[in-house]
Amino acid sequence: MTNTEQGKKRFHFDRHAPEYRDRFEAITKDMQAHCPLAWTDTHGGHWVAAGAEEVFHLARSQVVSNDNDVNGVRRGYTGITIPHAENPIRSGILEMDPPEHQAYRQILNPYLSPAAVARWIPFVDEVTHACLDEKIASGHIDFVDDLANIVPAVLTLAMLGIPLHKWEVYSEPAHAALYTPPDSPDRARVLDLHRAMGTDLFATILEVRESPRPGLVDALVRAEIDGQAPPDIEILGMLNLLIGGGFDTTTALTAHAFEWLSEHPDQRARLDRERDTLLDSATEEFLRYFTPTPGDGRTVCADYEYAGADLREGERLWLSWAMANRDPSLFDDPDTVDLERKGNRHFSFGLGIHRCIGSNVARTVFKRMLLAVLDRMPDFRCTADRAVHYETIGIIQGMRHLPAGFTPGPRLGPGLDATLARLQTLCEEQGLAEPVVARGR
């Protein structure tokens, strides 16, 4: 880090580089000690907020914008992705500023409130146990491929009102879009997969508009924003956000938590034994420590002097939730997992008006999968040399594979395909994807 000009401390920071994943703790300590708000020349140049105080202040400030002006009709800002992704579709409410942001968020709230999510718990439990049934007799499982990729995906589709059997159509593009670096030679293939998913989503929008059925797709299709129906392109952006957030973040949290519990069998036994008092605090600690979504971008929308830095309108800013979650000024012994950590005000779901709208879903699904594995595979051992972490953690701190062994046990049900077929009928007969208001709850 060098001070090359007044009001702009510089630090070479590239969150897409393997070095950032491999040296995360060292880089975090260095920035927080010397330049918790610094300028980096990578990816066209942008500010990086690494300290808890700086992230907290800027995330809630009115001098930063989430707007992605894809049509060039406002101020030309480029949303939450650094480097800017050339995409004609905004990432839903995450790339909207007030008042537009609130109008769309209000449409989603009745489907994602604590009461709305709680009614899905029996559904989540059935899908989880069906996944475990597929592997329980073999003594081997890949916690990513065979569990954590499936359960969040199936639930997300159910909440959207998309047929459950399509989870595989959506899973690979949703995950690959996040773990593939911007300069990867595989990027073109991943974009093709994403376009195919988008084509199916657009067909779903047309289908639901013609033949209504409960779910978030229907909510968006029937919505009115300033007296008009949302454009299909905005509905697609909103659905892409719900799928990306619903699929990969919970998968990432689950995989890292299971890997850590395998490496610390005494803590796993303690969590199993004291689950009634430890489950909630352990969940928050895993969220803090692993921070599935490491950060988000913003655009500075007014000249602003803060923390010795001269931020100028139009400059880009990266808010690092992950580094703020390791700030010793806020968390005692921040680089250690403490399953009973008190007052854990972590940043993992973001801050301010753009705080993650799906946080209730993520917590619930993670807890149900964790409890099921502790019940049915309590002695699981992850195969460390076969675990595959994302090549880049610039967007999601995720894993592609996490094989494990355990003592075999008995099946409890008919398996995944039969369970999904039965649950599809249940969703339709009971209207599970209706908003809680419509159900009078």
Side-chain angles (χ1 to χ4, degrees):
M1 184 270 294
T2 56
N3 288 311
T4 58
E5 59 184 277
Q6 186 177 6
K8 187 169 284 189
K9 293 183 179 180
R10 294 180 180 268
F11 188 97
H12 179 78
F13 177 87
D14 185 354
R15 74 183 201 283
H16 288 291
E19 179 191 32
Y20 180 57
R21 180 197 60 208
D22 298 338
R23 299 187 59 249
F24 170 76
E25 290 185 3
I27 292 171
T28 298
K29 290 177 181 177
D30 194 2
M31 288 197 71
Q32 289 176 347
H34 301 104
C35 49
L37 178 60
W39 178 268
T40 179
D41 290 323
T42 61
H43 304 299
H46 62 281
W47 294 97
V48 180
E53 181 178 347
E54 289 75 14
V55 170
F56 182 84
H57 177 85
L58 290 168
R60 301 167 74 247
S61 171
Q62 295 184 4
V63 301
V64 298
S65 168
N66 285 51
D67 184 36
N68 188 0
D69 183 12
V70 294
N71 296 316
V73 296
R74 292 181 295 278
R75 302 176 75 176
Y77 296 161
T78 52
I80 63 168
T81 303
I82 301 174
H84 173 53
E86 296 294 337
N87 190 332
I89 303 176
R90 293 192 289 178
S91 293
I93 55 175
L94 269 185
E95 294 195 323
M96 296 177 180
D97 285 341
E100 185 183 31
H101 169 269
Q102 289 97 320
Y104 277 94
R105 193 175 183 107
Q106 287 174 0
I107 298 168
L108 307 180
N109 282 334
Y111 296 83
L112 298 167
S113 66
V117 174
R119 74 182 182 210
W120 287 102
I121 289 177
F123 179 99
V124 172
D125 287 345
E126 290 212 41
V127 178
T128 299
H129 284 289
C131 291
L132 299 184
D133 278 338
E134 295 286 344
K135 298 295 178 180
I136 194 74
S138 70
H140 299 281
I141 189 171
D142 186 317
F143 279 129
V144 175
D145 285 341
D146 302 324
L147 179 66
N149 271 357
I150 301 174
V151 180
V154 170
L155 175 63
T156 301
L157 294 190
M159 298 178 78
L160 290 171
I162 296 175
L164 307 183
H165 69 83
K166 288 188 175 183
W167 73 267
E168 290 182 282
V169 174
Y170 287 82
S171 183
E172 172 60 13
H175 293 296
L178 298 171
Y179 66 65
T180 306
D183 57 353
S184 169
D186 198 38
R187 193 71 182 175
R189 181 190 71 85
V190 172
L191 290 175
D192 286 342
L193 288 172
H194 219 265
R195 289 189 193 98
M197 184 183 81
T199 300
D200 192 83
L201 270 180
F202 185 68
T204 299
I205 292 171
L206 299 180
E207 182 182 329
V208 172
R209 182 174 285 132
E210 181 69 23
S211 301
R213 59 176 183 256
L216 283 157
V217 175
D218 184 76
L220 290 165
V221 166
R222 309 284 159 211
E224 286 191 1
I225 304 294
D226 294 332
Q228 296 184 335
D232 286 348
I233 197 76
E234 297 293 359
I235 296 176
L236 278 173
M238 197 72 67
L239 296 177
N240 279 330
L241 172 64
L242 292 169
I243 289 168
F247 281 36
D248 212 63
T249 52
T250 309
T251 299
L253 172 66
T254 305
H256 281 289
F258 284 8
E259 183 181 45
W260 187 89
L261 289 168
S262 177
E263 294 169 349
H264 301 83
D266 57 329
Q267 292 298 300
R268 178 181 61 196
R270 180 189 176 210
L271 177 57
D272 189 11
R273 187 174 61 249
E274 302 175 26
R275 60 176 66 183
D276 290 346
T277 56
L278 279 183
L279 181 61
D280 288 347
S281 61
T283 298
E284 300 308 311
E285 181 67 344
F286 288 135
L287 281 163
R288 180 196 71 84
Y289 187 81
F290 293 113
T291 316
T293 302
D296 282 316
R298 300 287 190 268
T299 303
V300 180
C301 58
D303 291 352
Y304 187 56
E305 293 185 13
Y306 173 70
D310 293 332
L311 288 77
R312 298 301 179 207
E313 190 272 331
E315 291 180 332
R316 302 287 276 145
L317 165 69
W318 179 254
L319 300 171
S320 179
W321 317 128
M323 291 196 284
N325 277 342
R326 300 295 188 93
D327 193 326
S329 70
L330 190 61
F331 303 100
D332 293 335
D333 198 10
D335 296 326
T336 297
V337 173
D338 178 0
L339 297 183
E340 57 179 339
R341 187 181 293 275
K342 303 294 191 297
N344 194 344
R345 299 179 65 84
H346 60 72
F347 296 68
S348 298
F349 291 121
L351 294 169
I353 63 170
H354 291 93
R355 188 179 184 278
C356 175
I357 196 171
S359 60
N360 298 312
V361 179
R363 286 184 171 107
T364 298
V365 176
F366 169 74
K367 290 176 185 178
R368 304 314 296 181
M369 288 193 288
L370 174 59
L371 291 174
V373 169
L374 290 176
D375 285 340
R376 301 186 65 188
M377 302 173 178
D379 63 346
F380 70 85
R381 304 165 304 281
C382 296
T383 310
D385 60 353
R386 293 175 57 204
V388 180
H389 292 251
Y390 280 8
E391 181 180 347
T392 173
I393 62 169
I395 300 177
I396 293 289
Q397 161 87 318
M399 296 180 70
R400 297 180 66 175
H401 299 290
L402 184 61
F406 56 88
T407 301
R411 291 172 64 106
L412 299 180
L416 185 60
D417 290 343
T419 298
L420 294 188
R422 184 173 57 78
L423 289 174
Q424 182 69 60
T425 301
L426 194 69
C427 286
E428 295 165 2
E429 291 179 348
Q430 296 188 5
L432 285 179
E434 294 176 0
V436 291
V437 175
R439 296 169 62 90
R441 297 184 182 177

